[in-house]
Amino acid sequence: MAATKTILIIDDDKDMVNTTRIILESRNYAVEAAYNGKDGYSMIEKHPPDLILLDVMMSTNTEGFDLAYKLKNSNQYRDIPIIMLTSFPREITLQGPEKFQHILGEDWPVSEFFEKPVDPDELLAVIQDLLVGKP
Amino acid sequence: MSLGHQLIKEQLFFRKELKERVFWFIKLRWIAIAGAALCSYALFFLEPGLPVFPMIILILGVAFYNILFLFTWLRLKSFPSERVRPFEIFAHIQIVFDLVAYLFFIFLTGGIQSPFLIFVIFHIILAGILLSPVSCFIISGLVVLIFAGLMALEHTTGLPRPPGFFQNTLLTGDLEFPGALFVFLILAAFILISAFLTTSIKLSLRVKGRELLKVSKALEISNAKLMTLYEMVKEMGSLYDLQKLMDTATRNSAVITGVKGCSIKLLDEKREKFSSSYGLSEDDIAKEAINSKKEGMAAVMCLPLKVKTLLLGDICFYSEAPLFFDAEDKVFFSLIADLTALGIETINRELNKSWFLAKAAHQLRSPMNAIHTMLDMLQKGFQGPVSEKQKETLNRCNTRIKLLGDMIHDLLKIGMRRTETNHSGVLPVDITLLLQKLTDLYSPRALEKNITLTLQTAADIPRIYADEQLLDDLFSNLISNALKYTPEKGEVRIAVSMEDHCRIKFQISDTGIGIPEEDLPNLFSEFFRSENARAFTENGTGLGLVIVKEALDILKGTMAIESTLGQGTCFTCRFPVGSASRQPPLCR
């Protein structure tokens, strides 16, 4: 039997974290949570998860993006898949990082990008896809 | 070299003047010839004793050399204006030939007592206008000497004189010393003073002309500067990206002012870094400081970027020439700084405005999304089994929450649209691709209701310059509406084609519930929903078509609606392929 996969949720909305935790735990994922980017990064340093669910706007407008770019630029953590979730309207997120003035980057730093609310079944399917082949 | 010469050589304006005068002189000579011929003809009858024949010979001689001059002129005409020398020589030759003809004329009309002696003034004036001051004085001196010689010859050798009809009233009687000397001195003074006055006036006019040229050149330069500045402001006005705006400002500012480099630093968290630079080396940009020695920068001027009392940063100009900037420049450079600051502030305000709305949307949606996800989780049994009745209630909650979400989305969308000032697209939009993406996006929803969703695109649809978001709003709201109000197993068809090469025709038809005719006028009013639409689904905000209408208005498009109750609706939108400036020439 494969080892339990750890998923780290980084979101400042506690209800969202708890709900997502219940959904993920129902499929036997080990869930850890942080409520801001800084705490999230220290948790990653302590114990790198298999996947990260990341919110965009927390204490700053682009905290999620900042953390995502930081991880993508580090040799150690660049392979951790990131699913970004945001409550920003589609037209803002569709335009990509250009809309987020402080971020300079060519590529999306995340594997998947969802506008909240996400259908639980869809989220689970995407997570499963991203974790396929991961030891 | 005399001042007059220098002026002639330096100024193209005067070169052109010389070229024109040389020809004017030839034309003037024809008038003189005609006048002389007419007078000779009259005299032939009045005083048969007069030497009319030699006079005619003289007139023919002048006419002959004037023809030669005309041919010479025709050859010289093609010479570039910069080549002054041939025209100068030509002018001298003309003056000398005329002087000889004039002397012969004087001799024929009474020698030193000819009443035409006074006509010498014309000769001096013409020489003054046409030649350099030195040449004019040489000619004048020559004339004085010739007159002295003529007087001496007449006095000593008794040079034969023509009959006395032309007796000069000034110089009547015998020319005896000292009276004759006195008369001669007056004549000489008359000639030389005329030469002096003519050349002085001409020189003074030329100095004024030169000043005028200088002023006009300075005006031309500042006009060119202002035009480039205008283009820069125009370009900046069309941008809504802060970085692009600052890059445009630094690049254009350096070009307009002729400096080597230009940089902008903004007062923000990256205050030590150049926000934008032009003409500076990578090394300097990386070090965030100018190595003036290495770069060969000899002068720098920095001005604040401020709007009223709000300081945004600074703009610096770097020149390789020492003491490049003077007080006069400061006014112009300040103008550039102020315009740049205004551009930056405008973009910042726009960004803040749209960020505020985006954040407001985010904050309003966050709790709703959490509720939605919690309801979903409950409904899908993640926290244990749910009874059918509970499921139904949860379903109702979900529907209402979703409606609230849609309402917030649409309201913010309208708010955002109404506060935005810039809707011009900077990148061409591929409508076919956009519609394909939207069709893919809405396919699952169509599949849920077993609706056939088809997209038909003509091959000749060009890319259009428009705000892609506007097109997205227009299409997605119409597609979503069609799917919403079409019963299961229905059909929704999307078609896009070109109309008269200038307009795009977008058509969406469905086999839906249709719109009652009496509701058509209210269709684009906020929160309006037809009775049959309300009865069919509660899932509607009454704002979708408002968004469609506003997007279409910005796109300068039109809409036609055909609907049959219970059978379906067809929306036809037409909009130009680009904004006014980007329209194909035939469509303007």
Side-chain angles (χ1 to χ4, degrees):
Chain A
M1 195 181 150
T4 308
K5 297 280 196 293
T6 311
I7 296 174
L8 173 64
I9 307 171
I10 306 172
D11 195 327
D12 60 344
D13 188 325
K14 288 188 178 146
D15 279 333
M16 203 54 140
V17 171
N18 290 336
T19 314
T20 315
R21 184 196 290 274
I22 293 165
I23 293 168
L24 295 176
E25 282 176 350
S26 77
R27 297 295 158 96
N28 297 321
Y29 291 115
V31 178
E32 285 177 11
Y35 300 105
N36 60 56
K38 203 178 155 197
D39 290 352
Y41 190 73
S42 9
M43 288 181 77
I44 295 165
E45 278 181 316
K46 268 186 222 151
H47 174 44
D50 294 295
L51 187 142
I52 300 167
L53 283 181
L54 184 59
D55 185 26
V56 174
M57 184 175 156
M58 290 178 273
S59 48
T60 69
N61 296 335
T62 56
E63 198 171 328
F65 271 119
D66 294 338
L67 177 62
Y69 275 107
K70 193 172 171 183
L71 294 173
K72 282 296 145 190
N73 288 328
S74 91
N75 290 328
Q76 219 175 335
Y77 309 122
R78 68 160 53 132
D79 294 326
I80 304 175
I82 299 172
I83 297 177
M84 200 162 239
L85 303 158
T86 184
S87 288
F88 273 117
R90 186 168 66 105
E91 45 273 22
I92 294 207
T93 51
L94 264 187
Q95 287 173 36
E98 295 91 57
K99 195 76 187 176
F100 298 85
Q101 286 291 309
H102 308 285
I103 297 162
L104 301 165
E106 291 295 312
D107 306 311
W108 271 110
V110 295
S111 317
E112 291 290 338
F113 198 94
F114 284 107
E115 189 186 344
K116 292 180 194 173
V118 189
D119 180 74
D121 295 327
E122 200 184 339
L123 181 67
L124 287 168
V126 169
I127 290 174
Q128 202 177 354
D129 279 354
L130 286 171
L131 291 176
V132 162
K134 274 193 77 111
Chain B
M1 197 181 280
S2 72
L3 181 60
H5 245 91
Q6 269 178 4
L7 287 171
I8 288 170
K9 291 215 159 172
E10 275 173 23
Q11 307 294 343
L12 192 70
F13 177 75
F14 297 129
R15 285 172 188 159
K16 210 175 148 204
E17 188 196 16
L18 177 71
K19 204 171 167 179
E20 283 165 2
R21 288 267 159 84
V22 165
F23 182 57
W24 168 71
F25 212 25
I26 295 171
K27 287 197 284 187
L28 207 65
R29 201 173 287 111
W30 286 124
I31 297 169
I33 290 167
L38 214 66
C39 292
S40 307
Y41 184 68
L43 288 174
F44 179 71
F45 293 105
L46 289 170
E47 199 76 35
L50 288 174
V52 174
F53 182 68
M55 188 69 97
I56 288 167
I57 298 288
L58 172 66
I59 292 167
L60 286 175
V62 175
F64 175 70
Y65 76 66
N66 208 30
I67 289 171
L68 290 180
F69 285 162
L70 190 66
F71 278 109
T72 316
W73 158 254
L74 289 174
R75 281 209 60 185
L76 282 178
K77 201 166 68 167
S78 55
F79 276 50
S81 294
E82 294 78 32
R83 286 188 61 189
V84 186
R85 199 76 192 147
F87 289 99
E88 282 178 342
I89 295 169
F90 189 38
H92 278 84
I93 292 171
Q94 288 197 53
I95 293 284
V96 171
F97 265 69
D98 283 343
L99 185 61
V100 172
Y102 169 74
L103 288 172
F104 191 45
F105 179 66
I106 289 293
F107 173 71
L108 288 179
T109 54
I112 203 69
Q113 285 183 335
S114 165
F116 294 108
L117 205 64
I118 204 79
F119 276 27
V120 75
I121 185 78
F122 301 133
H123 207 80
I124 300 301
I125 290 173
L126 286 173
I129 293 171
L130 212 57
L131 308 180
S132 67
V134 174
S135 295
C136 177
F137 279 111
I138 290 173
I139 297 282
S140 306
L142 207 62
V143 169
V144 170
L145 284 178
I146 288 168
F147 280 174
L150 206 61
M151 280 175 90
L153 271 176
E154 282 187 11
H155 184 63
T156 53
T157 63
L159 194 71
R161 264 187 242 161
F165 179 81
F166 287 119
Q167 285 300 310
N168 188 330
T169 47
L170 282 172
L171 295 166
T172 46
D174 287 330
L175 295 163
E176 292 298 337
F177 186 81
L181 182 65
F182 181 66
V183 170
F184 169 72
L185 285 176
I186 290 176
L187 190 65
F190 173 69
I191 290 167
L192 293 171
I193 290 171
S194 301
F196 173 74
L197 288 177
T198 316
T199 50
S200 303
I201 291 168
K202 188 181 83 173
L203 279 184
S204 138
L205 280 176
R206 292 209 165 161
V207 169
K208 290 272 183 302
R210 202 180 192 191
E211 278 168 11
L212 205 67
L213 276 180
K214 256 191 202 165
V215 173
S216 120
K217 206 171 176 188
L219 271 174
E220 214 171 276
I221 291 168
S222 50
N223 188 38
K225 272 185 182 177
L226 284 174
M227 276 311 288
T228 326
L229 194 63
Y230 168 71
E231 290 300 324
M232 169 179 135
V233 173
K234 219 166 73 174
E235 193 183 337
M236 276 161 54
S238 67
L239 297 171
Y240 51 89
D241 179 294
L242 185 62
Q243 192 57 49
K244 279 183 193 155
L245 178 123
M246 290 191 294
D247 291 346
T248 304
T250 47
R251 186 185 69 246
N252 279 304
S253 302
V255 173
I256 297 168
T257 55
V259 295
K260 192 189 176 204
C262 179
S263 71
I264 289 178
K265 270 186 187 179
L266 289 184
L267 280 178
D268 56 12
E269 67 265 31
K270 299 168 188 169
R271 61 194 309 164
E272 290 309 316
K273 281 191 179 158
F274 288 122
S275 305
S276 171
S277 67
Y278 175 83
L280 304 180
S281 69
E282 293 291 327
D283 201 29
D284 284 343
I285 296 166
K287 282 184 190 153
E288 294 145 28
I290 306 293
N291 184 341
S292 55
K293 243 186 195 170
K294 202 176 118 204
E295 293 288 326
M297 301 291 193
V300 60
M301 171 147 80
C302 288
L303 292 162
L305 287 171
K306 57 178 185 178
V307 179
K308 289 182 184 165
T309 51
L310 177 70
L311 186 66
L312 305 171
D314 67 18
I315 182 166
C316 293
F317 303 90
Y318 309 91
S319 170
E320 289 169 307
L323 304 172
F324 182 83
F325 307 102
D326 59 28
E328 238 174 74
D329 283 339
K330 198 182 162 260
V331 179
F332 187 70
F333 283 79
S334 299
L335 181 66
I336 294 179
D338 289 350
L339 289 171
T340 307
L342 207 59
I344 292 171
E345 181 55 9
T346 309
I347 284 205
N348 275 342
R349 266 189 214 160
E350 281 290 317
L351 277 175
N352 286 340
K353 215 158 41 178
S354 64
W355 257 114
F356 172 77
L357 285 165
K359 283 199 273 188
H362 180 273
Q363 297 307 83
L364 286 167
R365 286 159 56 103
S366 289
M368 243 183 38
N369 289 335
I371 296 172
H372 192 99
T373 314
M374 286 189 274
L375 287 171
D376 239 14
M377 176 191 70
L378 281 176
Q379 204 183 359
K380 290 193 169 160
F382 282 99
Q383 282 189 314
V386 188
S387 72
E388 277 310 306
K389 273 199 165 175
Q390 285 168 329
K391 223 178 224 178
E392 201 181 302
T393 310
L394 288 171
N395 217 4
R396 296 283 315 133
C397 289
N398 241 339
T399 308
R400 300 307 297 264
I401 277 287
K402 193 179 170 304
L403 185 61
L404 185 60
D406 290 346
M407 191 76 84
I408 289 171
H409 175 271
D410 286 358
L411 279 173
L412 284 166
K413 164 71 70 185
I414 292 171
M416 230 184 256
R417 187 69 77 233
R418 288 181 183 172
T419 52
E420 272 172 19
T421 48
N422 193 340
H423 296 290
S424 58
V426 284
L427 295 171
V429 184
D430 186 338
I431 290 202
T432 311
L433 192 70
L434 176 64
L435 279 172
Q436 193 55 60
K437 272 190 202 166
L438 288 172
T439 313
D440 292 346
L441 187 74
Y442 285 99
S443 282
R445 206 182 289 180
L447 207 63
E448 270 173 33
K449 289 176 78 179
N450 214 353
I451 292 172
T452 316
L453 176 65
T454 55
L455 169 67
Q456 195 184 351
T457 53
D460 60 343
I461 309 289
R463 285 165 175 257
I464 72 164
Y465 282 91
D467 185 339
E468 187 166 356
Q469 195 53 52
L470 282 177
L471 293 166
D472 189 306
D473 289 344
L474 174 70
F475 299 149
S476 51
N477 273 292
L478 287 173
I479 298 171
S480 150
N481 262 7
L483 291 173
K484 196 183 291 169
Y485 297 112
T486 299
E488 294 204 353
K489 294 179 187 165
E491 202 178 344
V492 172
R493 286 184 190 185
I494 307 164
V496 62
S497 59
M498 282 302 287
E499 210 169 64
D500 58 41
H501 301 290
C502 302
R503 289 191 303 171
I504 289 184
K505 182 178 157 191
F506 169 80
Q507 207 162 36
I508 179 159
S509 51
D510 60 51
T511 55
I513 57 169
I515 305 160
E517 207 180 330
E518 64 273 20
D519 285 345
L520 285 174
N522 300 320
L523 218 51
F524 300 106
S525 310
E526 284 103 341
F527 306 109
F528 176 81
R529 294 188 74 208
S530 297
E531 266 316 310
N532 66 333
R534 281 174 198 274
F536 186 73
T537 174
E538 57 188 340
N539 204 358
T541 61
L543 293 170
L545 285 178
V546 178
I547 295 172
V548 166
K549 176 76 172 48
E550 293 192 358
L552 204 56
D553 283 349
I554 297 166
L555 290 167
K556 304 217 174 341
T558 56
M559 178 181 276
I561 308 163
E562 285 169 72
S563 188
T564 312
L565 213 54
Q567 286 188 23
T569 307
C570 176
F571 285 90
T572 309
C573 305
R574 293 178 171 87
F575 48 88
V577 292
S579 59
S581 58
R582 288 192 158 145
Q583 283 264 357
L586 279 171
C587 307
R588 280 176 205 161

